[in-house]
Amino acid sequence: MKVLITGARGQLGRALIKLKPSDIKIFAMDRSNFNMLDISYCLKTINTLNPDWIINCGAYTNVDLAESDKETAMRINYQAPEAFAQEIKKLGGNFLQISTDYVFSGKRITNSPYLTTEKRSPLGIYGQSKAKAEESLEDIFSDSSQGIILRTSWLMGPVGKNFLITILNLNLKSKEIKVVNDQIGCPTSTISLAKVCWKIIKLKKYNLIFKENRNRILHWQDDGETNWHEIALFISKLSKEYGLIHNHANIIPIKTSQYRSLVERPSYSVLDCELTKNLLNYRGRHWKITLKEILKKIHLDKNNSNIFKTKFKI
Ligand SMILES: NC(=O)c1ccc[n+]([C@@H]2O[C@H](COP(=O)([O-])OP(=O)(O)OC[C@H]3O[C@@H](n4cnc5c(N)ncnc54)[C@H](OP(=O)(O)O)[C@@H]3O)[C@@H](O)[C@H]2O)c1
């Protein structure tokens, strides 16, 4: 089976490549050979390579910058996947779109995990661009089983631009780190998510399950429910235990209103993953276990193992 991965140098892209099943051939596409702003060039590449699946990890992920760069964010997050999905459908292949909790506002009266069937209500440009892609893909694949949308949240891995690496680096240079404690959600390890992506692709019978779920949307995040402050504390304490930092900074809880940001973030981001767990016959792991696994990997990585580095690589 041939699988084309967009955004292959991103944190999820890299995890997918690392965890690739042995019988799968990967076309790892990044900005240099598959610039998603040049949609017609990408379509030619898709035609030439004719993959069985496309996993669309490529995305404009800078949520704040998207507010002032709407056209680029829309092109990469909405128009590009829309065009790729139309093309792969014609070629007879399948499309796995990675989407986000940001398609929801997080403004719920009662905090219960978001179901896959709930109405989208994005707050900013990034969320809107991903929500528009979802709507378009639902439309394209309304008469076919070739497309799946997989929403996730708070993605963190041993490499890449993510909260865990940011907190490690802040611990190296700051005595005090202020972190919001009133946004509720759950981290997702790139390792867990990559495994789920490969399981979806390997699954033959997902069509049966989707009979009742016409919108073809799945959710995946690690187990549990927490906030950014608690995560920062956990990362800092454990990284000291692993000898990744000398001393951890004082991690101070603040409210979202005290944090300067260009865009409002969802205050509640827990996703209901039961459908995915049942479909894949796969149990999740608690976020503390998966973050511990990531920190252990960083500790063991030979580039990071000469302890007390000045900066953890992105
Ligand atoms: N990160 C999160 O917390 C989070 C949460 C929920 C959902 N998601 C979704 O999960 C998916 C993977 O996210 P991630 O965290 O792995 O993101 P990431 O690390 O930022 O990776 C995204 C990749 O897309 C690439 N890209 C950006 N513009 C491109 C262009 N014009 N042409 C080709 N490639 C381009 C980037 O390339 P460069 O490296 O060259 O910029 C980067 O490698 C995305 O769809 C994202 O929306 C992420």
Side-chain angles (χ1 to χ4, degrees), residues 236-296:
S236 305
K237 281 189 178 153
L238 211 63
S239 49
K240 187 170 174 238
E241 274 171 45
Y242 279 138
L244 295 171
I245 54 174
H246 278 291
N247 289 304
H248 73 72
N250 190 13
I251 317 284
I252 299 170
I254 58 166
K255 298 289 163 215
T256 300
S257 55
Q258 296 170 270
Y259 177 76
R260 244 186 296 146
S261 161
L262 293 174
V263 63
E264 195 182 352
R265 264 104 174 137
S267 52
Y268 181 80
S269 274
V270 183
L271 303 173
D272 183 300
C273 302
E274 280 313 299
L275 177 68
T276 316
K277 288 178 179 174
N278 293 336
L279 172 65
L280 302 178
N281 192 19
Y282 189 56
R283 292 294 99 196
R285 292 180 299 161
H286 194 273
W287 66 268
K288 286 190 175 173
I289 293 172
T290 60
L291 290 200
K292 193 171 174 180
E293 178 181 59
I294 294 170
L295 287 166
K296 209 166 166 181

Short mmCIF file of all heavy atoms in Angstrom, two decimals, residues 236-296:
data_model
loop_
_atom_site.label_atom_id
_atom_site.label_comp_id
_atom_site.label_asym_id
_atom_site.label_seq_id
_atom_site.Cartn_x
_atom_site.Cartn_y
_atom_site.Cartn_z
N SER A 236 7.55 19.69 33.98
CA SER A 236 8.70 20.27 34.66
C SER A 236 9.24 19.33 35.74
O SER A 236 10.46 19.11 35.84
CB SER A 236 8.32 21.61 35.29
OG SER A 236 7.78 22.45 34.30
N LYS A 237 8.33 18.76 36.54
CA LYS A 237 8.77 17.87 37.62
C LYS A 237 9.46 16.64 37.05
O LYS A 237 10.53 16.22 37.51
CB LYS A 237 7.58 17.44 38.47
CG LYS A 237 7.18 18.53 39.46
CD LYS A 237 6.15 18.04 40.45
CE LYS A 237 5.83 19.14 41.45
NZ LYS A 237 4.49 19.02 42.00
N LEU A 238 8.84 16.06 36.02
CA LEU A 238 9.37 14.81 35.46
C LEU A 238 10.70 15.05 34.73
O LEU A 238 11.60 14.22 34.79
CB LEU A 238 8.34 14.20 34.51
CG LEU A 238 8.38 12.69 34.44
CD1 LEU A 238 8.05 12.06 35.78
CD2 LEU A 238 7.38 12.18 33.39
N SER A 239 10.80 16.21 34.07
CA SER A 239 12.04 16.45 33.33
C SER A 239 13.20 16.67 34.29
O SER A 239 14.34 16.37 33.96
CB SER A 239 11.90 17.59 32.33
OG SER A 239 11.34 18.70 32.92
N LYS A 240 12.89 17.14 35.48
CA LYS A 240 13.96 17.25 36.50
C LYS A 240 14.37 15.85 36.95
O LYS A 240 15.55 15.53 37.07
CB LYS A 240 13.48 18.10 37.68
CG LYS A 240 14.59 18.39 38.64
CD LYS A 240 14.24 19.41 39.69
CE LYS A 240 15.39 19.50 40.68
NZ LYS A 240 14.98 19.22 42.05
N GLU A 241 13.34 15.00 37.18
CA GLU A 241 13.65 13.62 37.59
C GLU A 241 14.49 12.90 36.55
O GLU A 241 15.36 12.11 36.88
CB GLU A 241 12.34 12.85 37.78
CG GLU A 241 11.72 13.02 39.16
CD GLU A 241 10.33 12.41 39.23
OE1 GLU A 241 10.12 11.27 38.73
OE2 GLU A 241 9.45 13.10 39.76
N TYR A 242 14.22 13.17 35.27
CA TYR A 242 14.98 12.52 34.20
C TYR A 242 16.33 13.19 33.95
O TYR A 242 17.07 12.80 33.07
CB TYR A 242 14.17 12.52 32.89
CG TYR A 242 13.14 11.41 32.80
CD1 TYR A 242 11.88 11.65 32.29
CD2 TYR A 242 13.45 10.12 33.21
CE1 TYR A 242 10.93 10.64 32.20
CE2 TYR A 242 12.51 9.11 33.12
CZ TYR A 242 11.26 9.37 32.62
OH TYR A 242 10.34 8.37 32.53
N GLY A 243 16.60 14.25 34.68
CA GLY A 243 17.87 14.95 34.50
C GLY A 243 17.93 15.78 33.24
O GLY A 243 19.01 16.09 32.74
N LEU A 244 16.78 16.14 32.70
CA LEU A 244 16.77 16.99 31.50
C LEU A 244 17.01 18.45 31.85
O LEU A 244 17.45 19.23 31.02
CB LEU A 244 15.44 16.84 30.75
CG LEU A 244 15.15 15.44 30.18
CD1 LEU A 244 13.72 15.35 29.68
CD2 LEU A 244 16.11 15.12 29.06
N ILE A 245 16.66 18.82 33.08
CA ILE A 245 16.90 20.19 33.56
C ILE A 245 17.48 20.09 34.98
O ILE A 245 17.25 19.09 35.68
CB ILE A 245 15.60 21.03 33.57
CG1 ILE A 245 14.49 20.30 34.37
CG2 ILE A 245 15.11 21.32 32.17
CD1 ILE A 245 13.21 21.12 34.55
N HIS A 246 18.22 21.12 35.40
CA HIS A 246 18.78 21.14 36.77
C HIS A 246 17.67 21.31 37.80
O HIS A 246 17.49 20.50 38.69
CB HIS A 246 19.74 22.33 36.92
CG HIS A 246 21.10 22.06 36.40
ND1 HIS A 246 21.96 21.17 36.99
CD2 HIS A 246 21.75 22.57 35.33
CE1 HIS A 246 23.09 21.14 36.32
NE2 HIS A 246 22.98 21.98 35.30
N ASN A 247 16.98 22.43 37.66
CA ASN A 247 15.90 22.79 38.59
C ASN A 247 14.74 23.26 37.77
O ASN A 247 14.94 23.89 36.74
CB ASN A 247 16.34 23.95 39.49
CG ASN A 247 17.37 23.48 40.48
OD1 ASN A 247 17.14 22.55 41.24
ND2 ASN A 247 18.53 24.13 40.45
N HIS A 248 13.52 22.97 38.26
CA HIS A 248 12.44 23.51 37.45
C HIS A 248 11.99 24.87 37.98
O HIS A 248 12.13 25.19 39.16
CB HIS A 248 11.31 22.51 37.25
CG HIS A 248 10.45 22.25 38.43
ND1 HIS A 248 9.56 23.16 38.91
CD2 HIS A 248 10.32 21.13 39.21
CE1 HIS A 248 8.92 22.63 39.93
NE2 HIS A 248 9.37 21.41 40.14
N ALA A 249 11.47 25.65 37.04
CA ALA A 249 11.02 26.99 37.37
C ALA A 249 9.78 26.93 38.27
O ALA A 249 9.16 25.86 38.43
CB ALA A 249 10.69 27.74 36.08
N ASN A 250 9.44 28.06 38.82
CA ASN A 250 8.20 28.18 39.58
C ASN A 250 7.06 28.30 38.56
O ASN A 250 7.03 29.24 37.76
CB ASN A 250 8.30 29.44 40.45
CG ASN A 250 7.18 29.54 41.43
OD1 ASN A 250 6.45 28.56 41.65
ND2 ASN A 250 7.03 30.71 42.03
N ILE A 251 6.15 27.31 38.56
CA ILE A 251 5.09 27.31 37.53
C ILE A 251 3.85 27.97 38.14
O ILE A 251 3.20 27.38 39.02
CB ILE A 251 4.76 25.86 37.06
CG1 ILE A 251 6.03 25.02 36.85
CG2 ILE A 251 3.85 25.87 35.84
CD1 ILE A 251 6.80 25.32 35.60
N ILE A 252 3.55 29.16 37.66
CA ILE A 252 2.49 29.96 38.29
C ILE A 252 1.20 29.90 37.48
O ILE A 252 1.21 30.17 36.27
CB ILE A 252 2.96 31.43 38.41
CG1 ILE A 252 4.21 31.45 39.29
CG2 ILE A 252 1.87 32.34 38.96
CD1 ILE A 252 4.90 32.77 39.30
N PRO A 253 0.08 29.55 38.14
CA PRO A 253 -1.18 29.52 37.39
C PRO A 253 -1.73 30.92 37.14
O PRO A 253 -1.69 31.77 38.03
CB PRO A 253 -2.12 28.74 38.33
CG PRO A 253 -1.54 28.92 39.69
CD PRO A 253 -0.07 29.17 39.55
N ILE A 254 -2.20 31.15 35.91
CA ILE A 254 -2.87 32.43 35.61
C ILE A 254 -4.18 32.13 34.87
O ILE A 254 -4.41 31.01 34.41
CB ILE A 254 -2.00 33.39 34.75
CG1 ILE A 254 -1.59 32.72 33.41
CG2 ILE A 254 -0.79 33.88 35.51
CD1 ILE A 254 -1.03 33.70 32.40
N LYS A 255 -5.02 33.15 34.75
CA LYS A 255 -6.28 33.02 34.01
C LYS A 255 -6.04 33.41 32.54
O LYS A 255 -5.13 34.19 32.25
CB LYS A 255 -7.35 33.96 34.60
CG LYS A 255 -7.69 33.66 36.04
CD LYS A 255 -8.47 32.36 36.15
CE LYS A 255 -8.45 31.82 37.58
NZ LYS A 255 -8.43 30.36 37.66
N THR A 256 -6.88 32.89 31.67
CA THR A 256 -6.77 33.22 30.25
C THR A 256 -6.79 34.73 30.04
O THR A 256 -6.08 35.26 29.19
CB THR A 256 -7.93 32.55 29.46
OG1 THR A 256 -7.81 31.14 29.64
CG2 THR A 256 -7.88 32.87 27.98
N SER A 257 -7.60 35.42 30.85
CA SER A 257 -7.72 36.88 30.69
C SER A 257 -6.38 37.58 30.98
O SER A 257 -6.18 38.71 30.55
CB SER A 257 -8.81 37.41 31.63
OG SER A 257 -8.53 36.99 32.95
N GLN A 258 -5.47 36.91 31.68
CA GLN A 258 -4.17 37.52 32.00
C GLN A 258 -3.11 37.19 30.94
O GLN A 258 -1.97 37.64 31.02
CB GLN A 258 -3.66 37.00 33.35
CG GLN A 258 -4.52 37.38 34.53
CD GLN A 258 -4.08 36.62 35.77
OE1 GLN A 258 -4.55 35.52 36.06
NE2 GLN A 258 -3.14 37.19 36.50
N TYR A 259 -3.49 36.35 29.95
CA TYR A 259 -2.53 35.90 28.94
C TYR A 259 -2.79 36.65 27.64
O TYR A 259 -3.90 36.62 27.11
CB TYR A 259 -2.71 34.39 28.73
CG TYR A 259 -1.83 33.78 27.67
CD1 TYR A 259 -0.48 33.56 27.93
CD2 TYR A 259 -2.34 33.43 26.43
CE1 TYR A 259 0.34 33.01 26.96
CE2 TYR A 259 -1.53 32.87 25.46
CZ TYR A 259 -0.20 32.67 25.73
OH TYR A 259 0.60 32.12 24.76
N ARG A 260 -1.74 37.34 27.15
CA ARG A 260 -1.93 38.12 25.93
C ARG A 260 -1.94 37.22 24.71
O ARG A 260 -1.01 36.45 24.49
CB ARG A 260 -0.82 39.17 25.81
CG ARG A 260 -1.41 40.58 25.88
CD ARG A 260 -0.37 41.65 25.63
NE ARG A 260 0.67 41.63 26.65
CZ ARG A 260 1.94 41.93 26.40
NH1 ARG A 260 2.33 42.23 25.20
NH2 ARG A 260 2.83 41.90 27.37
N SER A 261 -3.02 37.29 23.94
CA SER A 261 -3.13 36.43 22.76
C SER A 261 -3.97 37.14 21.71
O SER A 261 -4.87 37.91 22.04
CB SER A 261 -3.78 35.11 23.18
OG SER A 261 -4.30 34.45 22.07
N LEU A 262 -3.68 36.87 20.44
CA LEU A 262 -4.41 37.55 19.36
C LEU A 262 -5.76 36.91 19.11
O LEU A 262 -6.64 37.49 18.48
CB LEU A 262 -3.59 37.49 18.07
CG LEU A 262 -2.28 38.28 18.08
CD1 LEU A 262 -1.49 38.02 16.81
CD2 LEU A 262 -2.60 39.78 18.21
N VAL A 263 -5.92 35.68 19.57
CA VAL A 263 -7.15 34.97 19.25
C VAL A 263 -7.67 34.20 20.48
O VAL A 263 -6.88 33.69 21.27
CB VAL A 263 -6.94 34.03 18.03
CG1 VAL A 263 -5.92 32.95 18.31
CG2 VAL A 263 -8.23 33.41 17.54
N GLU A 264 -8.97 34.16 20.59
CA GLU A 264 -9.59 33.45 21.70
C GLU A 264 -9.43 31.94 21.47
O GLU A 264 -9.65 31.44 20.37
CB GLU A 264 -11.08 33.81 21.73
CG GLU A 264 -11.77 33.43 23.01
CD GLU A 264 -13.27 33.77 22.99
OE1 GLU A 264 -13.74 34.44 22.04
OE2 GLU A 264 -13.95 33.35 23.92
N ARG A 265 -9.03 31.23 22.51
CA ARG A 265 -8.90 29.76 22.43
C ARG A 265 -10.11 29.11 23.07
O ARG A 265 -10.71 29.67 23.99
CB ARG A 265 -7.66 29.30 23.19
CG ARG A 265 -6.44 29.10 22.33
CD ARG A 265 -5.45 30.20 22.49
NE ARG A 265 -4.24 29.88 21.75
CZ ARG A 265 -3.57 30.75 21.01
NH1 ARG A 265 -4.00 31.98 20.89
NH2 ARG A 265 -2.47 30.41 20.38
N PRO A 266 -10.47 27.88 22.62
CA PRO A 266 -11.60 27.19 23.26
C PRO A 266 -11.30 26.97 24.74
O PRO A 266 -10.19 26.57 25.09
CB PRO A 266 -11.68 25.84 22.52
CG PRO A 266 -10.87 25.99 21.28
CD PRO A 266 -9.86 27.07 21.53
N SER A 267 -12.26 27.25 25.60
CA SER A 267 -12.01 27.06 27.04
C SER A 267 -12.25 25.61 27.46
O SER A 267 -11.83 25.19 28.53
CB SER A 267 -12.88 28.01 27.85
OG SER A 267 -14.21 27.85 27.45
N TYR A 268 -12.92 24.86 26.60
CA TYR A 268 -13.16 23.43 26.90
C TYR A 268 -12.96 22.64 25.61
O TYR A 268 -13.65 22.89 24.62
CB TYR A 268 -14.58 23.24 27.45
CG TYR A 268 -14.86 21.79 27.80
CD1 TYR A 268 -14.41 21.23 28.99
CD2 TYR A 268 -15.55 20.97 26.90
CE1 TYR A 268 -14.64 19.90 29.29
CE2 TYR A 268 -15.78 19.64 27.20
CZ TYR A 268 -15.33 19.11 28.40
OH TYR A 268 -15.55 17.79 28.69
N SER A 269 -12.03 21.70 25.63
CA SER A 269 -11.61 21.03 24.39
C SER A 269 -11.60 19.51 24.49
O SER A 269 -10.82 18.88 23.80
CB SER A 269 -10.18 21.45 24.05
OG SER A 269 -10.16 22.62 23.34
N VAL A 270 -12.40 18.95 25.40
CA VAL A 270 -12.33 17.49 25.53
C VAL A 270 -13.18 16.85 24.43
O VAL A 270 -14.33 17.25 24.21
CB VAL A 270 -12.78 17.03 26.94
CG1 VAL A 270 -12.63 15.52 27.08
CG2 VAL A 270 -11.98 17.75 28.01
N LEU A 271 -12.59 15.88 23.75
CA LEU A 271 -13.27 15.22 22.63
C LEU A 271 -13.69 13.81 23.06
O LEU A 271 -12.92 13.09 23.71
CB LEU A 271 -12.32 15.11 21.43
CG LEU A 271 -11.73 16.42 20.89
CD1 LEU A 271 -10.68 16.14 19.82
CD2 LEU A 271 -12.83 17.32 20.34
N ASP A 272 -14.88 13.43 22.67
CA ASP A 272 -15.35 12.07 22.98
C ASP A 272 -14.73 11.10 21.95
O ASP A 272 -14.97 11.25 20.76
CB ASP A 272 -16.88 12.04 22.89
CG ASP A 272 -17.44 10.68 23.26
OD1 ASP A 272 -17.09 9.68 22.59
OD2 ASP A 272 -18.23 10.60 24.21
N CYS A 273 -13.95 10.15 22.44
CA CYS A 273 -13.20 9.25 21.54
C CYS A 273 -13.77 7.84 21.50
O CYS A 273 -13.12 6.93 20.97
CB CYS A 273 -11.74 9.20 21.97
SG CYS A 273 -10.94 10.80 21.98
N GLU A 274 -14.94 7.64 22.10
CA GLU A 274 -15.50 6.27 22.21
C GLU A 274 -15.69 5.61 20.86
O GLU A 274 -15.39 4.43 20.69
CB GLU A 274 -16.83 6.31 22.98
CG GLU A 274 -16.66 6.38 24.48
CD GLU A 274 -15.65 5.37 25.04
OE1 GLU A 274 -15.87 4.16 24.88
OE2 GLU A 274 -14.64 5.81 25.63
N LEU A 275 -16.19 6.37 19.88
CA LEU A 275 -16.44 5.79 18.55
C LEU A 275 -15.13 5.22 17.97
O LEU A 275 -15.09 4.09 17.47
CB LEU A 275 -17.02 6.86 17.62
CG LEU A 275 -17.27 6.44 16.18
CD1 LEU A 275 -18.40 5.42 16.10
CD2 LEU A 275 -17.61 7.65 15.31
N THR A 276 -14.08 5.99 18.09
CA THR A 276 -12.78 5.55 17.55
C THR A 276 -12.29 4.31 18.30
O THR A 276 -11.79 3.36 17.69
CB THR A 276 -11.74 6.68 17.70
OG1 THR A 276 -12.34 7.89 17.31
CG2 THR A 276 -10.51 6.41 16.87
N LYS A 277 -12.44 4.34 19.63
CA LYS A 277 -11.96 3.21 20.43
C LYS A 277 -12.70 1.94 20.05
O LYS A 277 -12.11 0.87 19.90
CB LYS A 277 -12.14 3.50 21.93
CG LYS A 277 -11.15 4.54 22.42
CD LYS A 277 -11.36 4.87 23.88
CE LYS A 277 -10.32 5.89 24.33
NZ LYS A 277 -10.53 6.37 25.69
N ASN A 278 -14.01 2.06 19.85
CA ASN A 278 -14.81 0.89 19.47
C ASN A 278 -14.47 0.44 18.06
O ASN A 278 -14.32 -0.75 17.80
CB ASN A 278 -16.31 1.19 19.58
CG ASN A 278 -16.72 1.40 21.02
OD1 ASN A 278 -16.06 0.90 21.93
ND2 ASN A 278 -17.77 2.17 21.24
N LEU A 279 -14.36 1.41 17.17
CA LEU A 279 -14.09 1.10 15.77
C LEU A 279 -12.74 0.38 15.61
O LEU A 279 -12.63 -0.61 14.89
CB LEU A 279 -14.07 2.41 14.98
CG LEU A 279 -13.62 2.39 13.54
CD1 LEU A 279 -14.59 1.58 12.70
CD2 LEU A 279 -13.54 3.81 12.99
N LEU A 280 -11.74 0.87 16.34
CA LEU A 280 -10.39 0.31 16.18
C LEU A 280 -10.09 -0.79 17.19
O LEU A 280 -9.02 -1.39 17.14
CB LEU A 280 -9.34 1.42 16.33
CG LEU A 280 -9.45 2.61 15.37
CD1 LEU A 280 -8.38 3.64 15.68
CD2 LEU A 280 -9.34 2.16 13.92
N ASN A 281 -11.03 -1.01 18.11
CA ASN A 281 -10.81 -1.96 19.20
C ASN A 281 -9.48 -1.62 19.88
O ASN A 281 -8.58 -2.46 20.01
CB ASN A 281 -10.82 -3.39 18.64
CG ASN A 281 -10.89 -4.40 19.76
OD1 ASN A 281 -11.28 -4.07 20.89
ND2 ASN A 281 -10.49 -5.63 19.47
N TYR A 282 -9.35 -0.38 20.28
CA TYR A 282 -8.08 0.14 20.77
C TYR A 282 -8.35 1.00 22.00
O TYR A 282 -9.17 1.91 21.95
CB TYR A 282 -7.46 0.98 19.65
CG TYR A 282 -6.05 1.43 19.88
CD1 TYR A 282 -5.04 0.51 20.15
CD2 TYR A 282 -5.70 2.79 19.80
CE1 TYR A 282 -3.73 0.93 20.33
CE2 TYR A 282 -4.39 3.21 19.98
CZ TYR A 282 -3.42 2.26 20.23
OH TYR A 282 -2.13 2.69 20.41
N ARG A 283 -7.68 0.69 23.09
CA ARG A 283 -7.84 1.49 24.32
C ARG A 283 -6.85 2.64 24.32
O ARG A 283 -5.74 2.51 23.81
CB ARG A 283 -7.59 0.61 25.55
CG ARG A 283 -8.64 -0.48 25.81
CD ARG A 283 -9.99 0.10 26.17
NE ARG A 283 -10.88 0.11 25.01
CZ ARG A 283 -11.99 0.81 24.90
NH1 ARG A 283 -12.39 1.59 25.88
NH2 ARG A 283 -12.72 0.77 23.82
N GLY A 284 -7.24 3.73 24.90
CA GLY A 284 -6.32 4.86 24.99
C GLY A 284 -5.41 4.73 26.20
O GLY A 284 -5.55 3.81 27.02
N ARG A 285 -4.45 5.64 26.33
CA ARG A 285 -3.58 5.70 27.50
C ARG A 285 -3.72 7.08 28.11
O ARG A 285 -3.93 8.07 27.41
CB ARG A 285 -2.11 5.46 27.10
CG ARG A 285 -1.86 4.03 26.63
CD ARG A 285 -0.40 3.84 26.23
NE ARG A 285 -0.01 4.72 25.15
CZ ARG A 285 1.25 5.02 24.85
NH1 ARG A 285 2.25 4.52 25.57
NH2 ARG A 285 1.54 5.81 23.85
N HIS A 286 -3.57 7.15 29.43
CA HIS A 286 -3.70 8.43 30.13
C HIS A 286 -2.60 9.40 29.67
O HIS A 286 -1.48 8.97 29.39
CB HIS A 286 -3.63 8.21 31.64
CG HIS A 286 -4.09 9.38 32.43
ND1 HIS A 286 -3.25 10.41 32.79
CD2 HIS A 286 -5.32 9.72 32.89
CE1 HIS A 286 -3.94 11.33 33.46
NE2 HIS A 286 -5.20 10.92 33.54
N TRP A 287 -2.94 10.69 29.62
CA TRP A 287 -1.96 11.67 29.13
C TRP A 287 -0.67 11.68 29.95
O TRP A 287 0.40 11.95 29.41
CB TRP A 287 -2.57 13.08 29.06
CG TRP A 287 -2.96 13.72 30.37
CD1 TRP A 287 -4.17 13.65 30.98
CD2 TRP A 287 -2.12 14.51 31.22
NE1 TRP A 287 -4.14 14.36 32.16
CE2 TRP A 287 -2.90 14.90 32.33
CE3 TRP A 287 -0.79 14.94 31.16
CZ2 TRP A 287 -2.39 15.69 33.38
CZ3 TRP A 287 -0.28 15.72 32.20
CH2 TRP A 287 -1.08 16.09 33.28
N LYS A 288 -0.74 11.33 31.25
CA LYS A 288 0.49 11.34 32.06
C LYS A 288 1.42 10.23 31.59
O LYS A 288 2.65 10.37 31.62
CB LYS A 288 0.16 11.16 33.55
CG LYS A 288 -0.45 12.41 34.15
CD LYS A 288 -0.56 12.33 35.65
CE LYS A 288 -1.07 13.65 36.20
NZ LYS A 288 -1.35 13.61 37.62
N ILE A 289 0.83 9.11 31.17
CA ILE A 289 1.65 7.99 30.68
C ILE A 289 2.29 8.34 29.34
O ILE A 289 3.47 8.09 29.10
CB ILE A 289 0.78 6.71 30.59
CG1 ILE A 289 0.37 6.28 31.99
CG2 ILE A 289 1.52 5.57 29.86
CD1 ILE A 289 -0.62 5.16 32.05
N THR A 290 1.51 8.98 28.46
CA THR A 290 2.06 9.27 27.13
C THR A 290 3.10 10.41 27.21
O THR A 290 4.11 10.36 26.51
CB THR A 290 0.95 9.62 26.12
OG1 THR A 290 0.24 10.77 26.57
CG2 THR A 290 -0.01 8.48 25.91
N LEU A 291 2.87 11.40 28.09
CA LEU A 291 3.88 12.47 28.20
C LEU A 291 5.16 11.93 28.85
O LEU A 291 6.27 12.34 28.49
CB LEU A 291 3.35 13.67 28.99
CG LEU A 291 2.26 14.52 28.32
CD1 LEU A 291 2.17 15.90 28.96
CD2 LEU A 291 2.46 14.68 26.83
N LYS A 292 4.98 11.00 29.76
CA LYS A 292 6.16 10.36 30.38
C LYS A 292 6.97 9.62 29.31
O LYS A 292 8.20 9.69 29.28
CB LYS A 292 5.68 9.38 31.47
CG LYS A 292 6.77 8.90 32.37
CD LYS A 292 6.18 8.12 33.54
CE LYS A 292 7.33 7.53 34.35
NZ LYS A 292 6.90 6.77 35.48
N GLU A 293 6.25 8.95 28.42
CA GLU A 293 6.91 8.21 27.33
C GLU A 293 7.72 9.18 26.44
O GLU A 293 8.84 8.89 26.04
CB GLU A 293 5.83 7.51 26.50
CG GLU A 293 6.34 6.74 25.30
CD GLU A 293 5.19 6.10 24.52
OE1 GLU A 293 4.28 6.83 24.05
OE2 GLU A 293 5.21 4.88 24.37
N ILE A 294 7.12 10.36 26.17
CA ILE A 294 7.81 11.35 25.33
C ILE A 294 9.07 11.87 26.04
O ILE A 294 10.15 11.94 25.44
CB ILE A 294 6.87 12.53 24.99
CG1 ILE A 294 5.72 12.05 24.10
CG2 ILE A 294 7.63 13.66 24.31
CD1 ILE A 294 4.61 13.07 23.91
N LEU A 295 8.94 12.18 27.33
CA LEU A 295 10.09 12.71 28.07
C LEU A 295 11.20 11.66 28.17
O LEU A 295 12.39 11.98 28.08
CB LEU A 295 9.66 13.17 29.46
CG LEU A 295 8.85 14.47 29.47
CD1 LEU A 295 8.17 14.71 30.80
CD2 LEU A 295 9.74 15.67 29.11
N LYS A 296 10.80 10.41 28.30
CA LYS A 296 11.78 9.32 28.36
C LYS A 296 12.52 9.23 27.02
O LYS A 296 13.73 9.05 26.98
CB LYS A 296 11.03 8.00 28.64
CG LYS A 296 11.85 7.00 29.37
CD LYS A 296 10.95 5.92 29.89
CE LYS A 296 11.73 4.72 30.33
NZ LYS A 296 10.84 3.67 30.81
#
